[in-house]
Amino acid sequence: MKKPATVDIPAQAKESPEAEVLLKVTGLAKHFPITKGLIRRQVGAVKAVDGLDFDVRRGETLGIVGESGCGKSTMGRLITRLLEPTGGSIEFEGKDITHLGVSGMRPLRRDVQMIFQDPYGSLNPRHTVGTIVSAPFRLQKVTPEGGLKAEVQRLLSLVGLNPEHYNRYPHEFSGGQRQRIGIARALALKPKLVVADEPVSALDVSIQAQVVNLLDDLQDELGLTYVIIAHDLSVIRHVSDRIAVMYLGKIVELADNKGLYGAPMHPYTTALMSAVPVPDPRRRGAKSGRILLKGDVPSPISPPSGCRFHTRCWKATQICATKEPPLLALKPGHQVACHHPENAPDQAPGDQPLPGAADAVAKATE
């Protein structure tokens, strides 16, 4: 019991100098108010993000995974300051940007950019590709060397599009090509941090790999730092150095790629991993070992007490229902918020199981 308590900060973070941390998030929260009646009296709140602690190091890719509705996209909009946080702090290159207004954020917009999920809704259909990609230069009053048109055409070529399509409109492009236009716009001012909100989920599967490989190549070429939000574990595994698993507004596990996929500690992560399909025809008809969680994700309006996953967890005990587990590093660089982790010492041995916990899950046989 004493050993985990002495390593509550990941060894990975200790080894990395503070100057290498590009973005630091502490206690980040976003609660959307629920109002009622003519005077719009607040009667509750949707706790979309409810206390996140993590950092992003320069040059790395941090992947964020979790079920729909767990707060991933809200978190992405908070760290790019498209939404105002309810609580917590956001530091970028050591500067507190938590409550900067529009004028205060304007200089930082060059360094922090976002790639949106919907390549159809994020591009103005009335503007040409040239106008869309050149918008950051006009808004920041930047004149690139060689002229605006030449720079936009260079960016289009960089993301694999024909520079001659400068005067075309978004409706003339496919979904994958539109997402490339969005990537070109995000990279126009050479940002230090790019937040990609499910950049391939709206695309055809045959195009997804091309866009993922493009993001990888651009990171190597331009020295970018990514926060990539996705629900596809296969995509996240391919692109991420470290991965944070979110459940109902909280980070339940944070580890490097190899550690998370090789030995996941949180039961929720284990269940997610079991759902990843294995494209092996030799396993057809064999038992899959998939873990099926019973019940729905609880409402973020009134999340469960203690550990938020205890209502769907087969390992839940009395302490899980009353005490929220802290996010601790049980191995160097591997943090988990769980009283009874997998592949690690039990943090609350001997605690009484919750009634019905064993029935919270079923093993799939096909």
Side-chain angles (χ1 to χ4, degrees), residues 30-354:
K30 179 61 178 178
H31 298 172
F32 295 97
I34 301 171
T35 57
K36 187 178 182 181
L38 290 172
I39 59 172
R40 313 306 296 169
R41 178 172 57 92
Q42 183 172 342
V43 295
V46 178
K47 298 173 182 178
V49 172
D50 201 21
L52 301 185
D53 296 285
F54 64 92
D55 57 46
V56 184
R57 297 162 199 154
R58 196 182 299 274
E60 79 165 348
T61 299
L62 176 68
I64 312 287
V65 296
E67 290 176 87
S68 297
C70 71
K72 307 185 300 295
S73 294
T74 302
M75 182 275 298
R77 283 164 169 74
L78 287 170
I79 61 178
T80 52
R81 292 294 289 107
L82 296 178
L83 284 176
E84 181 72 16
T86 304
S89 66
I90 306 166
E91 293 180 22
F92 182 75
E93 291 189 315
K95 180 182 179 181
D96 191 340
I97 65 169
T98 314
H99 299 294
L100 286 183
V102 175
S103 58
M105 275 302 296
R106 189 174 291 275
L108 282 167
R109 289 289 174 217
R110 297 186 61 168
D111 296 330
V112 182
Q113 285 292 320
M114 191 162 188
I115 299 168
F116 294 95
Q117 177 178 356
D118 184 8
Y120 296 89
S122 61
L123 304 180
N124 191 326
R126 298 185 179 184
H127 289 174
T128 64
V129 170
T131 305
I132 291 168
V133 178
S134 63
F137 295 106
R138 295 196 305 275
L139 291 170
Q140 292 286 341
K141 297 181 171 57
V142 173
T143 305
E145 292 182 21
L148 192 58
K149 182 176 181 180
E151 178 64 14
V152 170
Q153 289 183 323
R154 186 191 72 80
L155 286 165
L156 292 177
S157 179
L158 185 69
V159 298
L161 293 175
N162 190 337
E164 302 305 317
H165 294 166
Y166 177 88
N167 289 317
R168 290 193 177 186
Y169 288 86
H171 74 267
E172 300 179 66
F173 295 90
S174 67
Q177 289 173 322
R178 291 187 199 200
Q179 193 62 293
R180 289 171 188 263
I181 295 167
I183 293 170
R185 177 176 59 185
L187 299 180
L189 296 172
K190 298 180 174 66
K192 296 173 183 175
L193 175 68
V194 176
V195 178
D197 183 9
E198 307 229 20
V200 298
S201 65
L203 306 180
D204 187 89
V205 175
S206 60
I207 306 299
Q208 288 183 3
Q210 297 176 20
V211 175
V212 166
N213 289 333
L214 171 65
L215 291 171
D216 250 357
D217 294 342
L218 290 172
Q219 183 175 35
D220 294 338
E221 190 173 338
L222 305 175
L224 299 170
T225 302
Y226 286 142
V227 174
I228 296 185
I229 298 162
H231 61 261
D232 189 327
L233 286 159
S234 302
V235 170
I236 285 294
R237 184 174 192 173
H238 181 74
V239 299
S240 301
D241 299 306
R242 289 190 303 145
I243 301 161
V245 181
M246 283 186 68
Y247 182 80
L248 209 60
K250 295 272 189 183
I251 290 178
V252 296
E253 188 164 3
L254 177 60
D256 61 80
N257 191 317
K258 186 177 179 181
L260 189 83
Y261 282 87
M265 289 188 184
H266 201 281
Y268 176 62
T269 310
T270 306
L272 285 181
M273 298 292 181
S274 74
V276 178
V278 179
D280 187 350
R282 292 172 297 180
R283 294 185 58 181
R284 186 174 299 166
K287 290 186 178 182
S288 66
R290 181 177 175 182
I291 299 170
L292 302 176
L293 299 177
K294 294 182 179 179
D296 297 325
V297 180
S299 169
I301 298 172
S302 55
S305 59
C307 174
R308 296 190 172 187
F309 186 60
H310 85 260
T311 57
R312 306 172 74 199
C313 182
W314 63 95
K315 302 183 77 174
T317 62
Q318 299 292 337
I319 193 174
C320 301
T322 55
K323 183 181 178 183
E324 183 179 333
L327 190 66
L328 297 177
L330 302 186
K331 289 181 183 177
H334 196 144
Q335 296 172 277
V336 64
C338 184
H339 295 301
H340 309 290
E342 310 262 306
N343 303 305
D346 197 319
Q347 303 300 293
D351 198 42
Q352 290 298 314
L354 277 178

